[in-house]
Amino acid sequence: MSEVVIKVENLKKHFPINEAVPFKKSTQSVKAVDGVSFEVYKGETLGIVGESGCGKSTMARLINQLIRPTEGVVEFKGKNLATLGSKEIRSIRKSIQMVFQNPYASLDPRKTIEYLIAEPLAIHHIGDAKSRKKRVIELLEVVGLSGYHAERYVHEFSGGQRQRINIARALALNPDIIICDEPVSALDVSVQAQVINLLKDLQRKFDLTYIFISHDLNVVRYICDRIAVMYLGKIVEIGTYEELYENPKHPYTKALLSAIPKENPFDKKERILLEGDVPSPVNPPPGCSFHKRCPHAMEHCKKDVPAFVDLGETQKVACHLYS
Ligand code: SF4
């Protein structure tokens, strides 16, 4: 088994809802992430998939320590991040970088590309102006752009090129892991494939580990080794790419997969239409949080939270149909 880069154990993030009454303590909270555990191994890509609002982006921010958890543990290479001081966290942040969904919003339009890519180096006091400039040119070439782009501004680039700039910026500090939060959702389909291919090339070249967050199971299959499916702040199924696509177990995973457009028009698989909307994370249903939409729901699904069941070495599911 390869080295564990990130380990997350019973991770929770509950955001209190501010009451309109001053000085009254909030009693309700949004359970954005509600008891999530998984490991990410060196050199792999773990996909985290779910509908919007399922907590996947909050989890990315918890792992990167942009927000602190309500409960639970995040470990980076065996170090519990909650026990580290601010100096050590700063140093670990170099190793955990992020690429966000909107490549325009995450890049300051008033700065040159050279400034934007060199900024992480300047923040961490790495090198001088001359060596940073050299590194910027090197990074631009690594992501398929050219050295002369360094003098330009964000508005002069297409969406795909802007995402390449974001990736160059994320690579600047030689990270161990990059968390890609919906990195291709805002791009055209043809450009999505180019950015995904670039991420795969960079992974091979620099031995990178990725967490790839997406609402689209069709996109993650091109890059992920393992996939975790999230629903209402919890992981409901996790397994290798083959296990999930060829033999999905959880009714929610099956419904998500059935929504992917068929490659073969003679494929008879029917689309599973889920009834109702995702319930509010302020007041998730008791028992299995999917029971109100599940076509297989049984009486005890309404009361008992399903435990994770091992279905083999790598596939696990939280569903009473398998316990
Ligand atoms: Fe459906 Fe019950 Fe399984 Fe939940 S535990 S997914 S309600 S069958």
Side-chain angles (χ1 to χ4, degrees):
M1 186 65 78
S2 54
E3 181 193 346
V4 174
V5 181
I6 294 282
K7 184 174 177 183
V8 162
E9 229 172 81
N10 194 29
L11 195 63
K12 292 185 185 177
K13 183 66 190 178
H14 297 176
F15 294 103
I17 298 169
N18 291 329
E19 302 274 347
V21 186
F23 308 116
K24 190 175 173 218
K25 208 172 168 227
S26 172
T27 51
Q28 282 198 309
S29 59
V30 175
K31 298 174 182 67
V33 174
D34 200 20
V36 165
S37 304
F38 61 83
E39 289 169 341
V40 189
Y41 301 103
K42 189 171 172 55
E44 78 163 340
T45 301
L46 175 73
I48 298 179
V49 180
E51 289 162 286
S52 80
C54 72
K56 51 195 193 308
S57 293
T58 303
M59 202 157 62
R61 282 154 182 76
L62 287 167
I63 294 171
N64 200 24
Q65 300 291 292
L66 292 173
I67 49 174
R68 292 281 181 163
T70 309
E71 216 181 297
V73 174
V74 179
E75 282 181 15
F76 172 71
K77 291 187 169 176
K79 282 187 183 166
N80 179 350
L81 301 187
T83 62
L84 304 181
S86 53
K87 208 172 151 196
E88 280 173 293
I89 289 284
R90 228 171 103 84
S91 152
I92 280 180
R93 277 221 186 102
K94 283 194 262 176
S95 307
I96 309 174
Q97 290 294 311
M98 285 199 69
V99 171
F100 293 98
Q101 174 179 3
N102 187 337
Y104 194 72
S106 48
L107 296 169
D108 187 339
R110 295 162 304 176
K111 307 287 187 197
T112 64
I113 300 308
E114 179 182 340
Y115 179 94
L116 293 170
I117 298 179
E119 195 179 27
L121 298 166
I123 289 171
H124 289 276
H125 310 292
I126 296 170
D128 54 17
K130 199 174 157 201
S131 67
R132 282 180 210 147
K133 189 175 184 120
K134 192 167 164 251
R135 177 85 174 124
V136 168
I137 292 168
E138 194 181 290
L139 286 164
L140 282 168
E141 287 168 0
V142 157
V143 298
L145 295 170
S146 299
Y148 63 82
H149 287 128
E151 307 305 321
R152 299 197 177 168
Y153 291 85
V154 180
H155 71 269
E156 298 176 62
F157 294 89
S158 67
Q161 287 175 320
R162 284 175 204 163
Q163 203 53 300
R164 285 175 192 266
I165 293 163
N166 258 326
I167 294 168
R169 197 175 137 94
L171 286 173
L173 296 167
N174 287 322
D176 289 271
I177 181 161
I178 301 183
I179 305 173
C180 306
D181 189 1
E182 301 268 12
V184 297
S185 311
L187 306 176
D188 290 345
V189 176
S190 59
V191 184
Q192 285 186 350
Q194 291 168 15
V195 172
I196 285 179
N197 286 336
L198 171 67
L199 286 169
K200 281 162 101 173
D201 286 348
L202 295 172
Q203 185 168 44
R204 276 191 292 271
K205 217 180 221 163
F206 300 116
D207 202 12
L208 287 165
T209 304
Y210 293 137
I211 295 178
F212 192 98
I213 292 170
S214 177
H215 66 282
D216 189 347
L217 264 170
N218 201 20
V219 165
V220 295
R221 70 172 157 168
Y222 294 112
I223 187 162
C224 296
D225 302 295
R226 289 189 306 133
I227 295 161
V229 178
M230 273 189 88
Y231 185 79
L232 263 187
K234 293 184 193 312
I235 290 178
V236 294
E237 185 164 6
I238 187 165
T240 62
Y241 153 84
E242 290 85 7
E243 285 165 340
L244 256 73
Y245 281 85
E246 282 161 28
N247 197 12
K249 296 295 185 195
H250 198 281
Y252 182 58
T253 315
K254 289 182 187 177
L256 286 183
L257 281 168
S258 78
I260 296 178
K262 295 179 191 124
E263 276 168 17
N264 174 0
F266 299 107
D267 188 345
K268 291 258 167 26
K269 270 185 212 150
E270 286 299 317
R271 174 150 190 202
I272 303 166
L273 286 173
L274 294 175
E275 289 190 6
D277 296 321
V278 181
S280 162
V282 176
N283 198 9
C288 170
S289 52
F290 187 57
H291 81 252
K292 293 203 168 169
R293 304 174 78 197
C294 179
H296 308 284
M298 301 166 281
E299 216 29 57
H300 67 294
C301 299
K302 297 178 189 168
K303 302 192 292 282
D304 306 326
V305 178
F308 249 117
V309 181
D310 284 340
L311 300 172
E313 248 180 58
T314 42
Q315 192 172 12
K316 292 180 186 179
V317 66
C319 172
H320 289 306
L321 291 172
Y322 306 92
S323 54

